[in-house]
Amino acid sequence: MTPPPGFPPAEMYSLRDFGEMIADAGRFGAYAKAIAGAVRPGNTVAEIGCGPGVFSLLACQAGARRVFAIESEDSIEFARQLAAANGFTDRIEFFQSDSRKTELPERVNVIVSDIRGVLPLYDHAIPSMEDARQRLLAIGGIMIPQRDTLKAAVIEADEYYSRLMSPWRKSVPGVDLSPSVLPILNQAYSSAFKDDQLLTQAQSWGLLDYSVGAAARVAAELDFHAAREGTAHGVCLWFETKLFEEIGYSSGPGVAGTIYGQLFLPGLSRWRLRRGREFR
């Protein structure tokens, strides 16, 4: 899995980090159900960005004849150890490489990946998935995830916003740090918010359909209507995923234990909202 902002780079992942990913019950439980539902006895499977290869183990449990576990970092050594511990070394073949540079001996029936960051648009995630669909997936094969829907809402986040701003406003007596405020507010931040902090209904601003090919860039113009009164501090972004058939989950505000969190785009200033007010 590709690290969200705020997580260590992939080459620095520890077993504890991977353990937190497994402990994310909403994510891991959904992936386990999707793999069990999509993989048929005798299938071939590729896991992209396998880390310790737990999804590869689940594919073997589901009856996969052959699993190709692909990981560019040294965490693939964990995967080899776990495969041996579970008696799957004869069915899992490991490739320490970028998936876009990997040649498999055959096309696969199922491709499994979770190489998102806070949003699926993170880094090389979508180009890697599209390359895998075109080069590695057999005709009629299944991508897990099948699609991600990008969501956005205006959010009230006074404490978080204040933490961003306060060091640059009168924190050092006699020194003007205010020129740093604008660059600070022109960045995106990863955090976890509660659903009662949303000031508007969530709106979809992009659909990434990996089964037919997803665009690496998404743009949209949204009209928001305030659902309640409050002070807006920025826009919150997340995704909802369909892994296989009706199996999926959300990384949105209020989802307990999610490893992803949400992306926060702070406003250049706070603004007061009245219920029903429209803005873009």
Side-chain angles (χ1 to χ4, degrees):
M1 174 179 167
T2 300
F7 270 65
E11 65 270 15
M12 294 177 61
Y13 271 174
S14 67
L15 284 177
R16 178 180 178 181
D17 297 323
F18 288 120
E20 290 179 357
M21 298 176 194
I22 295 170
D24 182 344
R27 166 192 177 266
F28 189 80
Y31 265 97
K33 289 180 182 178
I35 292 168
V39 177
R40 299 287 183 264
N43 276 176
T44 51
V45 177
E47 182 185 359
I48 298 175
C50 71
V54 179
F55 293 160
S56 293
L57 302 180
L58 295 180
C60 287
Q61 285 186 340
R65 169 178 59 84
R66 195 73 178 160
V67 177
F68 304 108
I70 306 169
E71 171 60 60
S72 61
E73 305 298 338
D74 290 341
S75 57
I76 199 168
E77 294 303 322
F78 297 149
R80 289 190 174 98
Q81 294 172 26
L82 293 181
N86 287 275
F88 291 139
T89 52
D90 60 333
R91 291 162 62 188
I92 303 178
E93 186 173 351
F94 298 95
F95 295 81
Q96 186 168 4
S97 173
D98 185 315
S99 65
R100 293 168 293 180
K101 301 176 182 178
T102 302
E103 298 290 338
L104 299 183
E106 60 182 304
R107 286 182 177 255
V108 299
N109 304 110
V110 181
I111 292 176
V112 183
S113 68
D114 184 1
I115 51 177
R116 310 173 183 92
V118 175
L119 292 180
L121 302 170
Y122 185 80
D123 197 25
H124 62 276
I126 292 178
S128 294
M129 293 176 70
E130 178 58 10
D131 171 78
R133 184 185 72 86
Q134 292 187 15
R135 291 195 309 111
L136 308 180
L137 189 64
I139 295 175
I142 297 170
M143 297 286 291
I144 301 176
Q146 293 182 325
R147 67 171 181 252
D148 288 331
T149 302
L150 307 178
K151 296 286 188 175
V154 177
I155 192 168
E156 189 168 34
D158 182 63
E159 182 180 351
Y160 192 90
Y161 193 89
S162 295
R163 286 204 307 268
L164 292 177
M165 298 285 285
S166 60
W168 310 102
R169 288 186 169 176
K170 301 180 180 179
S171 293
V172 183
V175 177
D176 181 12
L177 303 180
S178 61
S180 298
V181 170
L182 188 59
I184 287 293
L185 295 178
N186 270 304
Q187 297 186 47
Y189 298 90
S190 172
S191 188
F193 299 102
K194 299 178 180 179
D195 54 2
D196 62 5
Q197 292 180 257
L198 300 183
L199 288 171
T200 66
Q201 295 293 324
Q203 292 196 39
S204 298
W205 59 278
L207 176 64
L208 305 172
D209 191 336
Y210 306 115
S211 63
V212 297
R217 295 188 178 186
V218 179
E221 182 175 310
L222 301 177
D223 293 327
F224 291 103
H225 294 264
R228 64 177 178 86
E229 292 188 359
T231 301
H233 297 89
V235 176
C236 180
L237 308 176
W238 67 94
F239 69 91
E240 294 179 356
T241 188
K242 175 185 176 183
L243 296 178
F244 175 68
E245 294 182 343
E246 300 307 314
I247 302 168
Y249 59 90
S250 171
S251 70
V255 178
T258 178
I259 60 170
Y260 305 98
Q262 298 86 48
L263 203 66
F264 177 58
L265 305 178
L268 298 183
S269 63
R270 303 173 176 90
W271 66 100
R272 189 71 184 171
L273 296 184
R274 296 188 302 274
R275 185 172 182 176
R277 178 185 173 187
E278 180 181 348
F279 56 97
R280 297 183 178 183

